[in-house]
Amino acid sequence: MLELNSLIKTYDSFDFGPVGLTVGNEVLSVLGPSGSGKTTLLSLIAGIVDPDGGSISLNGERLDGRSLQERRTGLVFQDGALFPHMTARKNIGYAATDPDRVTDLASLLEITDVLDRRPPRLSGGEQQRVALARTLAADPDALLLDEPLSSLDAPIRRRLRGELHTLFKSLEIPVIYVTHDQRTATALGDRTAIFRDGTIEQVGSPMNVINRPATRFVARFTGNENLFEATVAKQNEDTALLRVGNGCLRSATTTAATGTTVTLCIHPSRVQVYAPGGGVNTHCRNTASGTIDQWLNEGDEYRVEITLDEVSITLTTTIRPPNFDQLDLEADSSVRVTIPPDAIHLIG
Ligand code: ADP
Ligand code: MG
């Protein structure tokens, strides 16, 4: 178990922390914009940078004052940082605790065939796998990864993401995986921590962070553009009536008192769009007519902007290509829009 207690680092123009965090034998993905302190977090744990306050323990023992080697924290960088003059095999074996580990890890990471090549003759994906194997060969007690896939092309990134998921599960040590890519954070993390300006803004399961953002910052950073100011008009135990724009919407839960102003948050993937008069979900009370403003074809989905006619708010929604084709939309097309009450989250 990795425990960070009120960890602080002060640079001239940046304050990191205080950060308190416990990571068990799980993958914690750390997500945050550039400059939010993600690399600083890993550097402090690995011992590259000394903290100005707080403490770090790994399996109950304080890491403070220990050298990089003594910490037994494996660190993998964005660029792999391999020794260029050594073959992949020598790179992996460099700090190996057991020579057999090199062959085992090479087979696990599917790099057996390239073991006798030097880094300049390896592809980006192969270099990253060699770097990971080199770190794992030292049998670390915790694994720290700093955007290891960010320099790779999308197809290889997706494939490696799947392989890493399986690998991390088998390690049974704390893994901290830093990324600025929300999909990677969601796919790999048992939990996700969102960093902002050197501190943790929210930590929770990836789906919780996406569907129940604690702040507007987290909502935006996890791809949720649908944020509206609303007033709680009325509520009972299982539903709240919210005034928003010129109309109202119902949410399945409410945490705010009647009369208070809240931010209403609807994830684009949860907005349902139907042809006018089409098969609308009649169990849902948040059904309204809308007009298509514009859309963007992002390949795997369309991002569509729709203005709700009476409520007069503009929602962003994502629609899969087959559904989009079926709707046969044009700018100014009329549609029916349903927002399930449990898709409406309130930020207090
Ligand atoms: P991220 O990895 O999230 O992009 P970093 O942890 O690398 O962010 O950096 C966070 C902030 O700390 C940045 O503003 C950066 O300029 C500053 N910083 C990082 N390292 C140093 C350093 N050695 N000296 C001064 N400032 C630093
Ligand atoms: Mg960084």
Side-chain angles (χ1 to χ4, degrees):
M1 186 186 287
L2 181 64
E3 293 170 276
L4 313 182
N5 202 339
S6 303
L7 202 58
I8 290 173
K9 177 72 193 175
T10 309
Y11 288 125
D12 288 345
S13 54
F14 183 75
D15 292 326
F16 176 92
V19 166
L21 192 62
T22 301
V23 189
N25 292 345
E26 61 178 328
V27 181
L28 177 81
S29 51
V30 171
L31 182 66
S34 174
S36 59
K38 306 184 297 298
T39 296
T40 303
L41 170 77
L42 299 191
S43 305
L44 286 164
I45 299 170
I48 295 171
V49 166
D50 288 327
D52 293 318
S55 64
I56 308 169
S57 311
L58 183 55
N59 300 327
E61 291 180 29
R62 290 279 293 261
L63 293 186
D64 320 54
R66 289 198 191 177
S67 71
L68 268 69
Q69 289 74 18
E70 289 168 341
R71 291 191 178 216
R72 304 187 49 76
T73 50
L75 183 57
V76 182
F77 294 103
Q78 178 178 357
D79 59 4
L82 295 171
F83 303 118
H85 57 284
M86 286 187 194
T87 60
R89 188 191 306 280
K90 288 237 168 75
N91 264 284
I92 301 171
Y94 184 76
T97 51
D98 169 359
D100 287 343
R101 282 286 275 161
V102 179
T103 352
D104 292 349
L105 283 165
S107 135
L108 183 73
L109 289 162
E110 296 178 33
I111 44 174
T112 306
D113 294 349
V114 301
L115 281 179
D116 293 316
R117 292 196 204 155
R118 292 193 171 83
R121 290 196 49 230
L122 298 171
S123 71
E126 286 161 353
Q127 286 187 28
Q128 277 308 38
R129 279 180 279 179
V130 171
L132 186 61
R134 183 179 62 177
T135 303
L136 291 175
D139 208 11
D141 289 335
L143 182 60
L144 313 170
L145 304 108
D146 197 354
E147 312 215 20
L149 306 184
S150 65
S151 60
L152 306 180
D153 294 336
I156 176 80
R157 186 164 65 220
R158 199 166 295 136
R159 206 168 81 79
L160 266 182
R161 203 154 64 187
E163 287 174 11
L164 291 183
H165 185 75
T166 315
L167 173 69
F168 292 160
K169 287 270 163 253
S170 69
L171 291 177
E172 299 189 343
I173 56 172
V175 176
I176 300 187
Y177 191 104
V178 161
T179 177
H180 61 261
D181 174 45
Q182 191 235 312
R183 286 179 193 233
T184 303
T186 304
L188 292 180
D190 296 306
R191 287 188 300 151
T192 298
I194 312 279
F195 259 72
R196 179 190 191 183
D197 298 338
T199 59
I200 297 175
E201 183 101 343
Q202 185 173 359
V203 57
S205 76
M207 288 324 283
N208 197 49
V209 168
I210 292 172
N211 292 324
R212 308 236 160 281
T215 63
R216 281 175 170 252
F217 175 84
V218 173
R220 288 216 188 82
F221 206 73
T222 53
N224 195 333
E225 304 104 293
N226 293 320
L227 298 166
F228 307 99
E229 197 157 284
T231 314
V232 183
K234 214 160 63 176
Q235 59 179 306
N236 56 37
E237 66 268 24
D238 63 348
T239 177
L241 192 66
L242 305 155
R243 286 207 187 290
V244 53
N246 294 333
C248 55
L249 292 169
R250 275 177 196 281
S251 74
T253 54
T254 178
T255 41
T258 304
T260 51
T261 302
V262 291
T263 297
L264 185 156
C265 174
I266 306 159
H267 200 274
S269 64
R270 302 292 309 276
V271 178
Q272 300 163 3
V273 182
Y274 305 90
V280 173
N281 178 357
T282 50
H283 298 296
C284 177
R285 286 175 286 186
N286 290 338
T287 293
S289 62
T291 306
I292 301 293
D293 293 329
Q294 56 177 346
W295 63 80
L296 198 61
N297 179 358
E298 294 188 338
D300 55 348
E301 62 190 18
Y302 286 80
R303 288 189 97 69
V304 183
E305 278 183 23
I306 303 173
T307 297
L308 300 186
D309 301 330
E310 281 130 60
V311 186
S312 73
I313 57 170
T314 301
L315 286 171
T316 297
T317 170
T318 48
I319 306 180
R320 303 239 145 244
N323 300 347
F324 186 88
D325 292 342
Q326 215 166 27
L327 283 167
D328 198 20
L329 299 177
E330 288 175 41
D332 294 330
S333 285
S334 288
V335 288
R336 299 286 288 167
V337 176
T338 289
I339 305 160
D342 70 353
I344 295 188
H345 167 66
L346 304 183
I347 300 173

